[in-house]
Amino acid sequence: MNIWVKFTLLGLLAALSINSCTKDKELEKPLVGVSPSGLSVNSPVGEYVSFYITVDTDIQLRQFRITSQIDNPGEPLIVELDTGLNSLTSFELSFSFLVLEAAANSSIIVNFAATDNNGNVGSRAMRIYVGPLPPDPTQPELLTETSGHKMYSGNSQNADAYNLEAGVAMFSFSSDSTDLDLKDMPLNDTTDLISRSWVSPSGGQFVKFSAFDYANATDSSLLNAYQSGVELSKVDNLVDGDIILTRLVNSSSFQYAAIQVVLINDPDSTDLDFYLFNFKK
């Protein structure tokens, strides 16, 4: 039998209760009470679910059994506690049930059953709804991409900087520098050419890494690639298709990003000079 759910007995309080007097009416079967009340509880993987059980009967008990099974056809029994309780007529039990990975995204039916010496059975069932497996911190996690971001030339009348955390373009002259992860750095004040150069007013650093596997980027591949490159405070000579890795210093949600330059638009008018890019974080 595969033991997929562990258990611990926290306490067993039993009292011998042999009554020599004849009762007017005996219980037809043992009464089983389970706390928490209700028919179901929720639990994440790796947590204990604690139950407090009471059993009362007018006839001495023969057996108390706890069984549980994943609520899917064909799944095997995953834990069984079978306790002989000869001569007892009542007891209290605290029981802790550890939900393991085998039950993720499923439910477990736990049944508590008491049998008296006449063969009468009283039972109570509870269902545990189990959450998904938690992410494995040792496994690489694919990065999430957002696309269609646009930042204009510093010589234009449009937003010439970008906040990667918020995913919004900003005007460098009216924004706090700590919010500006990217900014176009013009060649001079009069040129009609887009500079193809970025800086980070917030203090971030860049690594130009066009061989980086952007399509399959993970958190670990991005970190490894960034750390293997040369950090720059300014990145120059940008062209369509370039991959720029950056380390952010003021982000609360992520620290590294991989930027894919999709298009550098450089017509005659400076107001239409812009960078179109996607990024993963």
Side-chain angles (χ1 to χ4, degrees), residues 98-176:
L98 179 61
V99 180
L100 298 184
E101 293 183 359
N105 287 313
S106 186
S107 65
I108 302 170
I109 296 175
V110 184
N111 190 65
F112 307 89
T115 305
D116 66 24
N117 281 338
N118 288 345
N120 301 311
V121 179
S123 64
R124 172 76 183 279
M126 291 284 288
R127 185 186 299 271
I128 303 174
Y129 289 102
V130 184
L133 286 173
D136 185 347
T138 66
Q139 295 299 314
E141 181 179 352
L142 286 173
L143 299 180
T144 302
E145 181 183 49
T146 57
S147 60
H149 304 279
K150 185 182 288 187
M151 181 176 71
Y152 284 86
S153 165
N155 285 342
S156 74
Q157 301 301 309
N158 300 304
D160 62 330
Y162 212 86
N163 182 299
L164 292 173
E165 182 171 27
V168 295
M170 308 184 77
F171 290 89
S172 62
F173 72 88
S174 61
S175 301
D176 189 322

Side-chain angles (χ1 to χ4, degrees), residues 1-4 76-80:
M1 179 178 65
N2 293 323
I3 303 301
W4 288 350
L77 193 70
I78 55 179
V79 69
E80 181 175 331

Side-chain angles (χ1 to χ4, degrees), residues 85-106:
L85 297 171
N86 290 336
S87 77
L88 298 180
T89 59
S90 66
F91 71 90
E92 301 172 359
L93 174 68
S94 293
F95 176 78
S96 290
F97 188 94
L98 179 61
V99 180
L100 298 184
E101 293 183 359
N105 287 313
S106 186

